[in-house]
């Protein structure tokens, strides 16, 4: 009788025979569990009322930065004065069409659809690409990872444009590295924007004090702005969940105020500004102003700042709510606000400094000032939260040093707080505010950061449209061409202002880029060393059941970065100590390019070597939005899955061929999941468990493991000895020891200069100041065993 299994062809028994064990009890009704898992995979449906409610809530999280731009756009566009009223109409026309093309058309209706299961930002796009093409530099993925319910990828026809693009990306390491560098540049610019946006938003809002009381000096305004910034960053540890209920009403009132003031100013001063909706005035603006008009694009660019934060803060809301909020409230109110300011400036061209506050009617001046200050704080919160989210994604993908990540909300998994990053942002933000003391130079710096992020997003979106959406090349060309025309135009303008503050984000981004790339480079080299120096299974088998040592009671958890193979640290350990624990579990915690891994699919368990060796591997898989709480719950779940693996393995070994044949013919269950595929070398199940011996894998669909089947297997397995389960339980009761590698990474003597600098200085320094593995894994000191080792990479 041929059993449905996959015979392992690799010499090492642990290459592709990893096991998916569901975290569930065998006595639980299997049909209900399978149904629950299938429902988790379905896309959430929102009612119309829920969509409107989420659209309202998105105002406070997503649109704060974009909504506060009217505070400083015209002042940065015309920092000296308005020489010709037609220039004002031309600038307003540019603002109108910039808002229409970039935030509305590109981001809200196109880029937001490219989210990774609701996650936005440059790293989310990169993760989406990594699932559709083999472009990750650290190849720690396995074929079983692709069976996750959150791991979606496409198979392309061999001669399609997408397949050719995929092969072009995968053909050499240089292109993979170039793509990663592009993503890191965009991410570093987002971090720079997280520093600049609070500075310019708060400083512009507080500047209203100077407008209302002209006797107050600019130094006092700066001090008040610094005090607000210190308070803002000091409150971050509370999380946005506790004060988030205030954000949406504040921003909604803000949009209604600026829209209403805009209508009032258009009616009161000059309604002829509405002719700016004609693009003819853009042509006249550049023809009349020449280079000066081109340079002023750096100020007009600020009208669309916050668009990149819109995409980065996408995680809490469905795309439909984002689109409704922008098209119904944000977009029309912004157009009215800019048009109203332009109408006021047509009659008062000398009031361009503080144009927003000058255009406010006197009776509502101070209420608007208070709302503007509150809206500036909300806008700052949006970019700070986006920075935290980006750092968390970079950390999970091995592109940022290990830092402490705190989840501030039990309801929203994406609301996090990173203390180290928070204080670094605060110091740099205060330094920028005190150093420049005015909106113009900070605006130049912010424009540089934003336009670079948009260019990076355009290049990544081009690949998304080809590899993920499989758009026709003409559609891709139209999107890329239009985006590059607009963004390269703005980029050329902000380059002219590099010496006027535009250098700040470049310096900040360069510093963070060096940190992120050096850390990723060191991590990749370390992983390569681990792979090439791992111990062969033949050597392990040659040691015998005792591994050549005394086996003492207890369980040893050996932490390693390898998802397959025995790490070199194990051989280093047993050659220096005369004893090893009776049970060894090699624990690998790895992050995948997915936003989350369901708890039911988190662990992969397998056996290494014969049963009397008592050696296992447990791979814990996480997404970049998952929080790995390495506490007693993690350890408990690990042992639960380990015991369940042993139990299922005994059940399968105890079942007879006739019992297996009763399932062999039942290839399709009621939900349409394939149980066995006798005509192929693989077995696939959307909801199931895989149990593995040392030479085969057998996949069991949990939806078919009914109570009767379990009872039948239990009767058959009653003859199987239960000594191993009792032995594992006894060893766990004796004690668990966590074995971690305390490795020192050094560049080999024949390394080139840049490699020595990256490994011996930058990477070594970052390893010293970042959190240690024992802290990350939350290992009790009394059960910690560090194994020292030197790696020459």
């Amino acid at each position: 009788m041929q059993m449905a299994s996959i015979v392992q062809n690799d010499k090492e028994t642990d290459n592709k025979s990893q096991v998916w064990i569901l975290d569930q009890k065998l006595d639980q009704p299997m049909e209900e569990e399978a149904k629950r898992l299938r429902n988790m995979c379905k896309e959430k449906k929102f009612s119309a009322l829920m969509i409107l409610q989420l659209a309202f809530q998105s105002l406070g999280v997503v649109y704060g930065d974009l909504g506060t731009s009217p505070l400083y756009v015209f002042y940065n566009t015309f920092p000296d004065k308005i020489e010709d009223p037609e220039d004002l109409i031309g600038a307003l026309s540019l603002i109108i069409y910039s808002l229409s093309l970039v935030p509305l058309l590109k981001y809200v209706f196109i880029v937001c659809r490219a989210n990774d299961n609701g996650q936005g930002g440059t790293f989310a796009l990169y993760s989406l690409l990594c699932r559709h093409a083999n472009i990750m530099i650290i190849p720690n993925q396995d074929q079983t990872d692709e069976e996750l319910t959150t791991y979606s990828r496409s198979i392309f026809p061999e001669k399609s444009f997408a397949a050719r693009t995929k092969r072009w990306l995968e053909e050499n390491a240089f292109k993979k590295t170039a793509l990663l560098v592009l993503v890191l540049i965009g991410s570093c610019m987002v971090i720079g924007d997280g520093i600049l946006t609070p500075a310019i938003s708060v400083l512009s809002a507080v500047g209203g004090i100077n407008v209302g009381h002209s006797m107050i000096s600019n130094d006092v305004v700066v001090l008040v702005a610094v005090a607000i910034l210190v308070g803002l960053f000091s409150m971050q540890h509370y999380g946005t969940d506790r004060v988030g209920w205030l954000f949406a009403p504040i921003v909604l009132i803000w949009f209604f105020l600026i829209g209403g003031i805009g209508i009032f100013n258009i009616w009161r001063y000059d309604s002829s500004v509405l002719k700016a909706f004609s693009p003819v005035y853009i042509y006249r603006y550049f023809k009349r102003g020449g280079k000066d008009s081109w340079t002023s694009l750096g100020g007009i660019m600020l009208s669309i700042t916050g668009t990149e934060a819109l995409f980065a803060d996408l995680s809490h809301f469905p795309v439909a709510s984002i689109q409704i909020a922008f098209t119904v409230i944000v977009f029309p109110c912004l157009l009215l606000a800019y048009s109203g300011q332009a109408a006021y400036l047509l009659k008062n061209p000398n009031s361009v400094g503080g144009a927003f506050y000058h255009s406010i009617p006197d009776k509502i001046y101070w209420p608007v000032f208070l709302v503007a200050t509150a809206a500036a704080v909300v806008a700052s919160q949006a970019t700070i939260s986006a920075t935290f989210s980006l750092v968390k994604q970079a950390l999970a993908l091995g592109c940022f040093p290990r830092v402490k990540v705190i989840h501030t909300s039990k309801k929203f998994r994406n609301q996090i707080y990173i203390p180290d990053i928070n204080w670094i942002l605060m110091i740099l933000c205060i330094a920028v505010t005190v150093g420049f003391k005015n909106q113009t130079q900070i605006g130049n710096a912010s424009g540089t950061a934003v336009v670079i992020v948009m260019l990076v997003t355009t290049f990544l979106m081009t690949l998304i449209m080809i590899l993920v959406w499989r758009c026709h090349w003409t559609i891709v060309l139209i999107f890329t061409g239009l985006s590059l025309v607009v963004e390269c135009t703005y980029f050329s303008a902000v380059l002219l202002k590099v010496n006027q503050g535009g250098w700040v984000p470049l310096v900040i981004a360069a510093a963070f880029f060096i940190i992120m790339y050096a850390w990723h480079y060191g991590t990749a080299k370390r992983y390569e060393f681990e792979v090439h120096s791992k111990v062969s299974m033949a050597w392990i088998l040659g040691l015998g059941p005792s591994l050549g040592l005394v086996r003492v009671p207890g369980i040893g958890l050996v932490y390693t970065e390898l998802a397959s193979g025995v790490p070199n640290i194990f051989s280093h350990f047993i050659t220096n100590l005369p004893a090893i624990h009776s049970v060894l579990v090699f624990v690998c915690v790895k992050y995948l390019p997915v936003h989350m891994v369901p708890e039911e699919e988190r662990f992969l368990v397998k056996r290494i070597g014969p049963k009397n060796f008592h050696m296992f591997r447990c791979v814990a898989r996480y997404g970049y939005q998952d929080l790995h709480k390495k506490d007693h719950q993690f350890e408990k779940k690990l042992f639960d899955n380990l015991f369940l693996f042993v139990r299922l393995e005994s059940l399968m070994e105890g079942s007879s061929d006739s019992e297996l044949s009763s399932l062999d013919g039942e290839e399709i269950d009621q939900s349409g999941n394939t149980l066995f595929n006798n005509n192929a070398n693989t077995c696939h199940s959307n909801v199931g468990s895989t149990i593995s011996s040392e030479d085969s894998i057998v996949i069991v669909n949990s939806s078919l493991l009914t109570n009767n089947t379990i009872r039948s297997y239990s009767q058959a397995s009653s003859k199987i000895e239960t000594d191993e389960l009792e032995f594992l339980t006894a060893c766990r009761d004796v004690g668990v020891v966590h074995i971690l590698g305390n490795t020192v990474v050094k560049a080999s003597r024949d390394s080139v200069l840049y490699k020595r600098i990256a490994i011996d200085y930058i990477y070594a320094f970052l390893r010293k100041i970042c959190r240690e593995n024992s802290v990350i894994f939350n290992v009790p000191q009394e059960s910690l065993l560090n194994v020292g080792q030197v790696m020459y990479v």
Side-chain angles (χ1 to χ4, degrees):
M1 177 68 192
Q2 183 180 0
M3 186 173 63
S5 63
I6 307 173
V7 179
Q8 183 177 0
N9 295 323
D10 204 11
K11 292 182 180 180
E12 295 188 7
T13 63
D14 57 352
N15 259 358
K16 291 186 178 179
S17 60
Q18 300 187 354
V19 182
W20 178 16
I21 297 297
L22 293 177
D23 187 16
Q24 59 184 11
K25 302 299 183 182
L26 285 176
D27 55 356
Q28 183 179 3
M30 294 297 180
E31 298 92 338
E32 296 180 3
E33 182 67 16
K35 182 179 180 180
R36 185 179 69 84
L37 290 177
R38 286 194 295 271
N39 290 336
M40 288 176 56
C41 304
K42 294 181 180 179
E43 184 180 359
K44 294 181 179 179
K45 303 298 182 182
F46 297 93
S47 63
L49 183 61
M50 180 62 69
I51 289 290
L52 294 177
Q53 180 182 350
L54 292 173
F56 167 72
Q57 294 176 354
S58 69
L59 293 173
V61 178
V62 175
Y63 294 113
D65 188 9
L66 191 65
T68 54
S69 295
L71 289 169
Y72 44 79
V73 169
F74 278 116
Y75 175 66
N76 283 271
T77 305
F78 303 104
D80 299 323
K81 62 179 181 179
I82 301 174
E83 297 181 355
D84 190 337
E86 289 293 318
D87 291 342
L88 190 61
I89 301 298
L92 177 60
S93 185
L94 278 168
I95 292 172
I96 291 172
Y97 284 97
S98 295
L99 286 171
S100 302
L101 292 175
V102 180
L104 179 64
L105 182 61
K106 178 185 175 182
Y107 274 87
V108 172
F109 286 104
I110 298 178
V111 175
C112 284
R113 293 183 60 248
N115 60 84
D116 183 16
N117 290 284
Q119 308 299 317
T122 52
F123 268 106
L125 294 179
Y126 180 68
S127 299
L128 196 58
L129 289 173
C130 288
R131 298 205 300 270
H132 289 79
N134 184 22
I135 56 177
M136 289 196 69
I137 297 179
I138 301 179
N140 65 343
Q141 297 184 53
D142 189 80
Q143 186 176 358
T144 54
D145 298 333
E146 300 177 9
E147 299 176 2
L148 292 171
T149 54
T150 54
Y151 196 110
S152 58
R153 64 178 304 171
S154 303
I155 299 177
F156 315 114
E158 186 67 23
K159 297 182 180 180
S160 65
F161 182 56
R164 292 196 299 268
T165 305
K166 179 176 180 292
R167 288 193 296 268
W168 179 79
L169 279 175
E170 298 174 347
E171 64 184 6
N172 57 57
F174 174 77
K175 294 174 184 177
K176 299 179 183 179
T177 304
L179 184 61
L180 176 64
V181 168
L182 184 68
V183 172
L184 292 182
I185 290 175
S187 303
C188 293
M189 286 298 171
V190 172
I191 296 176
D193 189 40
I195 296 169
L196 297 169
T197 294
I200 189 172
S201 298
V202 174
L203 188 61
S204 301
V206 176
I209 298 177
N210 208 353
V211 175
H213 294 80
S214 57
M215 297 300 293
I216 298 178
S217 65
N218 189 59
D219 292 337
V220 175
V221 174
V222 172
L223 289 176
V224 174
V226 169
I228 293 176
L229 289 172
V230 171
L232 171 65
F233 284 99
S234 299
M235 293 175 60
Q236 291 300 312
H237 68 281
Y238 291 108
T240 57
D241 185 38
R242 297 188 181 182
V243 295
W245 62 275
L246 283 174
F247 288 178
I250 289 174
V251 178
L252 181 62
I253 293 172
W254 168 252
F255 277 119
F256 283 161
L257 279 175
I258 63 175
I261 293 172
I263 294 174
F264 174 79
N265 288 333
I266 293 172
W267 170 78
R268 180 179 179 181
Y269 293 106
D270 195 343
S271 61
S272 65
V273 294
L274 298 179
K275 62 184 180 182
F277 282 86
S278 172
V280 174
Y281 289 93
I282 297 177
Y283 169 76
R284 294 180 181 177
Y285 179 67
F286 287 118
K287 182 179 180 181
R288 182 172 52 257
K291 183 179 179 181
D292 292 337
S293 298
W294 198 269
T295 306
S296 69
L297 288 175
I300 296 173
M301 173 72 195
L302 298 179
S303 64
I304 56 177
T305 56
T307 307
E308 74 290 346
L310 178 155
F311 183 50
D313 285 326
L314 190 65
S315 55
H316 295 316
F317 310 100
V319 175
S321 64
I322 299 290
Q323 294 172 342
I324 291 174
F326 189 83
T327 54
V328 175
I329 297 176
V330 178
F331 186 63
C333 288
L334 286 177
L335 294 184
L336 290 172
Y338 287 116
S339 300
Q341 284 189 51
Y344 172 81
L345 291 174
L346 283 176
K347 301 299 183 182
N348 304 275
N350 296 325
S351 300
V352 67
F356 173 79
Y357 285 109
H358 284 301
S359 66
I360 299 175
D362 294 337
K363 293 182 179 180
I364 61 171
Y365 180 84
W366 290 111
V368 174
F369 169 76
L370 294 176
V371 175
T373 304
V377 172
V378 174
S380 303
Q381 179 64 56
T383 57
I384 294 170
S385 300
T387 303
F388 289 160
S389 178
L390 184 144
V391 171
K392 174 68 169 63
Q393 294 176 14
L395 177 67
L397 295 177
C399 296
F400 204 87
R402 297 184 297 268
V403 292
K404 185 178 183 180
V405 179
I406 301 173
H407 276 221
T408 59
S409 173
K410 295 181 179 180
K411 295 184 294 184
F412 305 107
R413 65 166 52 233
N414 298 312
Q415 292 188 6
I416 60 176
Y417 168 65
I418 306 179
D420 301 330
I421 300 300
N422 181 68
W423 302 124
I424 291 174
L425 292 180
M426 186 188 76
I427 293 172
L428 293 177
C429 188
I430 292 175
V432 169
T433 305
V434 175
F436 287 130
K437 296 184 180 180
N438 64 80
Q439 309 168 22
T440 304
Q441 290 186 317
I442 302 178
N444 294 337
S446 180
T448 303
V450 169
V451 72
I452 293 177
V453 174
M454 290 182 176
L455 284 170
V456 171
T457 303
T458 297
F459 288 119
L460 294 178
M461 276 300 303
T462 301
L463 295 176
I464 292 290
M465 295 177 75
I466 296 174
L467 297 178
V468 182
W469 293 352
R470 298 195 225 180
C471 297
H472 195 270
W473 65 269
T474 54
I475 299 177
V476 177
L477 185 63
I478 292 173
F479 170 82
T480 306
L482 289 177
S483 299
L484 290 179
V485 167
V486 176
E487 291 159 7
C488 287
T489 301
Y490 278 120
F491 183 64
S492 63
V494 298
L495 287 180
L496 299 175
K497 295 188 176 183
V498 169
N499 61 340
Q500 301 175 24
W503 56 271
V504 173
L506 300 179
V507 173
I508 295 174
F512 277 96
F513 177 81
I514 292 173
I515 292 173
M516 295 173 74
Y517 188 77
W519 182 264
H520 185 272
Y521 181 77
T523 303
K525 291 299 180 183
R526 180 179 176 180
Y527 184 81
E528 290 177 6
F529 178 87
E530 291 274 7
V531 171
H532 292 128
S533 63
K534 63 182 179 181
V535 180
S536 66
M537 185 54 62
W539 184 78
I540 296 292
L541 294 175
L543 297 176
S546 65
L547 302 180
L549 300 169
V550 177
R551 302 295 292 268
V552 298
I555 296 180
L557 300 182
V558 184
Y559 290 85
T560 174
E561 296 181 1
L562 295 179
S564 63
V566 178
N568 177 263
I569 191 177
F570 175 70
S571 63
H572 185 71
F573 175 78
I574 65 176
T575 54
N576 287 275
L577 289 178
I580 193 67
H581 297 87
S582 299
V583 177
L584 287 177
V585 181
F586 294 95
V587 181
C588 172
V589 177
K590 69 175 181 178
Y591 286 87
L592 302 177
V594 296
H595 75 291
M596 64 165 291
V597 176
E599 286 286 342
E600 296 80 5
E601 306 175 43
R602 177 142 295 160
F603 291 93
L604 291 168
V605 180
K606 70 152 294 179
R607 184 184 298 277
I608 299 177
K611 282 189 175 182
N612 55 357
F613 278 37
H614 301 299
M615 295 174 64
F616 303 90
R617 178 183 316 285
C618 179
V619 180
R621 303 175 294 182
Y622 290 85
Y624 55 79
Q625 287 296 337
D626 286 325
L627 177 64
H628 181 198
K629 293 184 178 179
K630 302 180 178 65
D631 50 13
H632 65 282
Q633 288 297 325
F634 174 79
E635 185 176 309
K636 178 181 180 299
K637 291 178 180 179
L638 187 151
F639 286 123
D640 287 345
N641 282 272
L642 176 61
F643 292 165
L644 184 57
F645 163 78
V646 174
R647 194 174 176 185
L648 287 176
E649 186 184 45
S650 299
L651 286 173
M652 292 300 294
E653 290 178 351
S655 56
S656 63
D657 288 346
S658 60
E659 289 166 336
L660 282 175
S661 64
S662 64
L663 289 176
D664 188 41
E666 196 168 353
E667 296 186 355
I668 305 295
D669 68 358
Q670 294 178 357
S671 62
N673 297 326
T674 303
L675 175 63
F676 295 122
N677 186 353
N678 295 325
N679 298 324
N681 293 326
T682 59
C683 303
H684 177 69
S685 173
N686 290 332
V687 192
S689 300
T690 310
I691 64 175
S692 167
S693 65
E694 55 264 23
D695 59 356
S696 67
I697 300 176
V698 179
I699 296 181
V700 181
N701 190 302
S702 61
S703 63
L704 288 178
L705 290 180
T706 61
N707 292 334
N708 293 332
T709 307
I710 292 294
R711 190 177 301 110
S712 176
Y713 277 0
S714 298
Q715 294 173 357
S717 63
S718 60
K719 301 178 183 179
I720 305 298
E721 295 291 336
T722 59
D723 292 344
E724 186 170 20
L725 280 175
E726 296 176 356
F727 179 73
L728 291 175
T729 303
C731 288
R732 183 184 62 177
D733 295 339
V734 169
V736 179
V737 176
H738 302 259
I739 304 172
L740 276 73
N742 187 12
T743 58
V744 177
V745 182
K746 294 184 177 181
S748 56
R749 295 181 179 180
D750 57 344
S751 300
V752 294
L753 180 61
Y754 76 87
K755 184 177 179 180
R756 291 185 179 181
I757 294 175
I759 299 296
D760 293 342
Y761 296 97
I762 303 177
Y763 183 71
F765 173 75
L766 293 175
R767 279 178 60 89
K768 287 181 180 179
I769 65 174
C770 73
R771 293 163 63 84
E772 297 180 354
N773 280 333
S774 59
V775 178
I776 293 294
F777 287 93
N778 198 19
V779 176
Q781 292 296 319
E782 60 271 14
S783 61
L784 171 64
L785 180 61
N786 274 319
V787 181
Q789 189 179 20
V790 179
M791 293 182 179
Y792 289 95
V793 298

